[in-house]
Amino acid sequence: MRIRKSVRIILISFILFAILDCAFLFMLPVFLTASVQEYMIKQLVSLKTTAKIDLSMRPIKTFSDFSIQGGANYINLKDKNDEIIFSGQDIDIKASVLPLIFKRISVNNFNTKKLILNIERDKDGQYNISKIFKKQKNKFDYSLSKFNCNIENYEIGFIDELNEKTVFLKGDYFRVNRFVSKKFVDLDTSGVIITAGENQTPFNIKFASELP
């Protein structure tokens, strides 16, 4: 009797897993269309920030290992003065879903052809990024467990009104070949640093190390 009961439990568990897997593989892409993604993201940005977002999402793909692949043709995030904070083009991302149960974010691949980030600090020492976030009672307590990325070219601007300095980074590429939280990181990047007077300093960085 115990053996039959064990077999029955295993069989029921297998059937439930198969149903869940099929629903994930075939039903999720049907309901989570590009337009639905755009609506959800806009609502989230509106709820959590004072920023404006303009984006064009792509259809998602699901895989039997409970990973999901999606992306955007473009994403533009602006502050209330219509100044761009973040901009990305041809973004593709593939992430595992199951780690989210344990409040971990596992990004298998993050690829984009162009990324722009503008950081500003005013005379009071406040950053433009921190200004757009509304006060929240609930804290985001998820952690990044794994991360790989490939950015073909990027521009990062830093305008510091407090110290009256401006620095721009124009990168040819930025790659995180491997990142495992608290274990290992391997990355490389190259480009130029542009400071006042259009002085340009090239850089080429390769870094790989175990993490504490």
Side-chain angles (χ1 to χ4, degrees), residues 75-79 83-89 91 110 112 114-121 127-130 132-133 151 153-160 166-171 174:
I75 297 177
N76 296 316
L77 186 70
K78 301 178 181 179
D79 62 17
E83 294 183 357
I84 289 181
I85 296 176
F86 171 86
S87 178
Q89 296 179 9
I91 300 170
F110 175 86
T112 180
K114 188 171 185 179
L115 186 147
I116 298 174
L117 179 64
N118 292 317
I119 304 171
E120 296 181 11
R121 182 167 65 172
Y127 290 90
N128 60 337
I129 296 176
S130 63
I132 68 172
F133 287 98
I151 301 172
N153 64 80
Y154 63 92
E155 297 177 11
I156 300 176
F158 180 51
I159 299 175
D160 186 1
T166 301
V167 179
F168 289 98
L169 271 71
K170 287 190 176 182
F174 179 87

Side-chain angles (χ1 to χ4, degrees), residues 122-138:
D122 62 23
K123 294 181 179 180
D124 296 322
Q126 291 187 316
Y127 290 90
N128 60 337
I129 296 176
S130 63
K131 288 180 181 179
I132 68 172
F133 287 98
K134 298 177 181 178
K135 292 183 179 180
Q136 301 291 330
K137 294 181 180 179
N138 298 325

Side-chain angles (χ1 to χ4, degrees), residues 41-53:
I41 292 173
K42 287 179 179 179
Q43 290 298 310
L44 182 62
V45 170
S46 176
L47 179 66
K48 301 289 185 180
T49 76
T50 59
K52 305 173 185 177
I53 189 167

Side-chain angles (χ1 to χ4, degrees), residues 57-118:
M57 300 300 293
R58 294 173 177 173
I60 65 168
K61 296 179 181 179
T62 51
F63 302 88
S64 58
D65 61 351
F66 286 95
S67 61
I68 185 170
Q69 181 177 348
N73 298 311
Y74 63 85
I75 297 177
N76 296 316
L77 186 70
K78 301 178 181 179
D79 62 17
K80 60 183 180 181
N81 298 319
D82 283 333
E83 294 183 357
I84 289 181
I85 296 176
F86 171 86
S87 178
Q89 296 179 9
D90 292 324
I91 300 170
D92 285 305
I93 184 169
K94 184 178 181 182
S96 299
V97 174
L98 291 179
L100 293 174
I101 299 173
F102 306 99
K103 295 187 176 182
R104 296 175 183 172
I105 299 173
S106 180
V107 179
N108 302 326
N109 291 295
F110 175 86
N111 303 309
T112 180
K113 289 187 176 179
K114 188 171 185 179
L115 186 147
I116 298 174
L117 179 64
N118 292 317

